[in-house]
Amino acid sequence: MSDVESHLQQLSRGVEAIYSLEELRKKLQSGKALRIKLGMDPTAPDIHLGHSVVLRKLRQFQDLGHTAVLIIGDYTARIGDPTGRDTTRPVLDEAAILRNARTYLEQAGRVLDTSPGKIEVRHNSEWLSKLSFADVLRLTGMVTVQQMLHRENFKLRMEQQREIVLSEFMYPIMQAYDSVVIKSDVELGGTDQTFNNLMGRELMSKHDMAKQVVMVMPILVGLDGHEKMSKSKGNYVAVTEPPAEMFGKIMSIPDALMSNYFQLLTALPPERITSILDSSQTHPRDAKDILGRVIVEEFHGREGAELASAEFRRRFSQGGGGLPTDLETKVVPALAQGAMGMLDLICAVGFATSKSDARRLVEQGGVTLDDQKITDPKATVSVAGEGILRVGKRRVCKIKAS
RNA sequence: GGGCGCGUACCGAAGUGGCCAAACGGGGCAGACUGUAAAUCUGCUGGCUUAACGCCUCCGUAGGUUCGAAUCCUACCGCGCCCA
């Protein structure tokens, strides 16, 4: 297989759609370093595995010698979005945008290759702020209302007779114009960006330029196995999380989700994935362990992944009970004054939000002190030196009087 | 400008004068079990406490009617839809 064909195969992996494969092939055949565009919205700086799907694809391109062009949508963010609902975009000030962009880059850098020459970071205010009204009219003259109304989101709202603010039509045009300016060869995005990215092709061809290829990646399902991974749903794994936390969260996904995660979040060869997912060859628990380690390894290295896996086994498998390696010590000064109520102690270390809450935990048998189960809510404790307090499976700490 | 609706705990959603700390579902937490923080099953899910069928706070906000209000009235705030 030629290089081009093998690259094409790698790059197509896990992709939802390519517009079009043939054009991508031609671009790869040219032998040039391609410019791969990815737009980012400077409002949500908490990057999670869902974002990493697209970022990993971008990284793949980088590794094959192409250039990542990251567009920070600062102009758009500054103007905000009048529509309130479907596409809430809060208005941000300059400082916030800069801050968000910086944390975004810091986090995206855990996936991307940020060495010089591999990545180009641009703010779209650079060119958008210079457009005159006449320029804007010229751009809007290149797109028809009918094209706009084809977009799913708009179509739906037309049918439901819900408002569409005129300026909303401008967002796809602005993004598309970004592509014209930076002369992208390929634009990446999630499937939700399909329309906007295709608009880039449209606008580029109106400018007599080579059209960008659009590749859209599937939206990653969150830890709950149903809804898309997002911060607001709380069903996410942030790229900045410590190894043990990452690993544990991955172990908590429904078994049925494993295949999807292997496909979108790892680079394991397809045959390998098939054999891992075949329960007659690999125990499902081990399959998930592999998944967890491969993902954690990407962010914390081989050693971090192994440690996280080992710790998980120690703490939770076969009854568990092991202590975490980074066992936290909490000082409870009140203990120095003699016996203190169990419930107060639980609240004092922050394992319960109220005494009623603490009482429930005790009554349900979820609390142990030095491996002694406490079942009486009225119990008092006096810890001479220090003790190990557990609440449920996951909350453990060492307590000291001073 | 006119008309009509809606606002209940983390979320969704019942409840239209006392039996309401408020059904039910989701989520969360705990327990059992296990192959894991999976699945399944069970319990809990406003707060305080001398732990009691005690007290306090609570159904957008502020008043009012009533022996008694999430439920009725008034004003206000917020949200939505329709007409102009």
Side-chain angles (χ1 to χ4, degrees):
Chain A
M1 194 175 357
S2 74
D3 270 5
V4 169
E5 288 310 308
S6 110
H7 286 187
L8 206 54
Q9 202 171 68
Q10 289 175 55
L11 293 168
S12 317
R13 172 174 171 173
V15 172
E16 178 78 28
I18 305 184
Y19 309 92
S20 67
L21 184 66
E22 202 35 55
E23 289 178 36
L24 180 60
R25 179 179 280 120
K26 286 209 183 84
K27 284 184 187 275
L28 290 171
Q29 278 165 347
S30 76
K32 288 188 314 188
L34 303 178
R35 295 170 63 71
I36 318 299
K37 175 190 170 198
L38 176 64
M40 79 152 272
D41 174 3
T43 50
D46 220 9
I47 304 212
H48 53 62
L49 293 182
H51 302 112
S52 85
V53 173
V54 177
L55 291 172
R56 295 180 81 251
K57 184 56 67 185
L58 184 53
R59 174 64 192 252
Q60 255 185 341
F61 273 101
Q62 288 183 307
D63 289 344
L64 294 173
H66 306 293
T67 309
V69 183
L70 222 48
I71 308 289
I72 295 173
D74 65 331
Y75 195 70
T76 358
R78 216 168 317 181
I79 291 161
D81 193 323
T83 54
R85 262 220 315 262
D86 259 65
T87 42
T88 306
R89 291 178 220 227
V91 183
L92 296 176
D93 62 43
E94 200 102 8
I97 290 167
L98 271 170
R99 202 167 50 240
N100 289 347
R102 207 171 307 125
T103 46
Y104 179 94
L105 283 174
E106 190 274 311
Q107 293 176 37
R110 293 170 195 240
V111 179
L112 298 177
D113 183 348
T114 51
S115 48
K118 285 285 184 185
I119 191 164
E120 191 178 308
V121 179
R122 305 284 289 271
H123 293 73
N124 66 2
S125 60
E126 187 192 324
W127 49 86
L128 291 181
S129 65
K130 288 185 190 135
L131 293 179
S132 70
F133 197 73
D135 293 329
V136 175
L137 282 180
R138 191 176 51 82
L139 284 177
T140 50
M142 293 176 173
V143 184
T144 69
V145 172
Q146 283 80 353
Q147 284 172 321
M148 282 295 170
L149 291 179
H150 267 91
R151 183 184 170 171
E152 195 56 40
N153 181 289
F154 292 144
K155 198 157 65 176
L156 198 73
R157 284 198 278 163
M158 284 295 277
E159 281 162 11
Q160 297 175 343
Q161 309 210 326
R162 286 171 40 210
E163 76 170 11
I164 300 172
V165 173
L166 196 52
S167 61
E168 287 186 69
F169 284 169
M170 298 307 295
Y171 284 85
I173 296 179
M174 285 190 274
Q175 286 187 39
Y177 186 64
D178 292 345
S179 294
V180 171
V181 174
I182 64 134
K183 299 185 171 57
S184 50
D185 291 296
V186 178
E187 175 157 16
L188 300 182
T191 50
D192 55 336
Q193 290 297 309
T194 307
F195 180 87
N196 291 349
N197 293 0
L198 288 175
M199 183 60 68
R201 280 167 70 80
E202 189 71 25
L203 215 56
M204 287 168 104
S205 72
K206 297 276 188 196
H207 281 81
D208 295 322
M209 299 171 62
K211 287 186 281 192
Q212 65 179 8
V213 169
V214 170
M215 284 176 89
V216 291
M217 306 297 297
I219 301 298
L220 190 71
V221 174
L223 300 176
D224 58 294
H226 300 289
E227 306 208 66
K228 78 168 191 176
M229 184 175 282
S230 78
K231 192 181 180 184
S232 56
K233 295 258 164 39
N235 59 357
Y236 73 111
V237 182
V239 299
T240 51
E241 287 183 52
E245 197 68 16
M246 256 188 190
F247 188 86
K249 283 188 176 179
I250 290 158
M251 289 304 277
S252 82
I253 64 171
D255 288 359
L257 202 55
M258 283 199 279
S259 157
N260 188 245
Y261 274 34
F262 267 115
Q263 174 84 354
L264 296 175
L265 298 172
T266 77
L268 297 182
E271 322 80 66
R272 181 82 208 291
I273 295 178
T274 310
S275 100
I276 291 173
L277 291 175
D278 178 351
S279 58
S280 67
Q281 290 183 62
T282 313
H283 193 290
R285 196 216 164 268
D286 296 331
K288 210 179 272 178
D289 178 75
I290 294 170
L291 177 67
R293 277 183 293 152
V294 171
I295 293 173
V296 173
E297 185 176 338
E298 182 175 338
F299 299 97
H300 298 285
R302 163 77 50 127
E303 201 186 340
E306 294 303 329
L307 285 173
S309 164
E311 173 163 334
F312 187 86
R313 211 173 281 266
R314 204 178 70 243
R315 290 189 63 190
F316 303 112
S317 296
Q318 278 122 39
L323 295 170
T325 42
D326 56 345
L327 181 64
E328 201 180 340
T329 300
K330 294 192 177 172
V331 177
V332 183
L335 271 175
Q337 269 113 59
M340 113 183 250
M342 195 61 216
L343 302 182
D344 291 312
L345 177 65
I346 296 170
C347 292
V349 297
F351 285 172
T353 53
S354 68
K355 291 181 80 169
S356 300
D357 190 16
R359 170 177 283 108
R360 276 177 224 122
L361 291 165
V362 169
E363 282 169 353
Q364 296 197 103
V367 177
T368 64
L369 181 64
D370 285 328
D371 291 326
Q372 294 273 309
K373 186 173 273 196
I374 313 284
T375 47
D376 179 9
K378 279 184 286 190
T380 55
V381 283
S382 49
V383 179
E386 46 190 48
I388 301 293
L389 177 70
R390 281 175 191 278
V391 174
K393 286 194 183 73
R394 297 171 56 193
R395 283 165 282 182
V396 202
C397 75
K398 184 188 284 185
I399 50 169
K400 289 171 70 174
S402 59

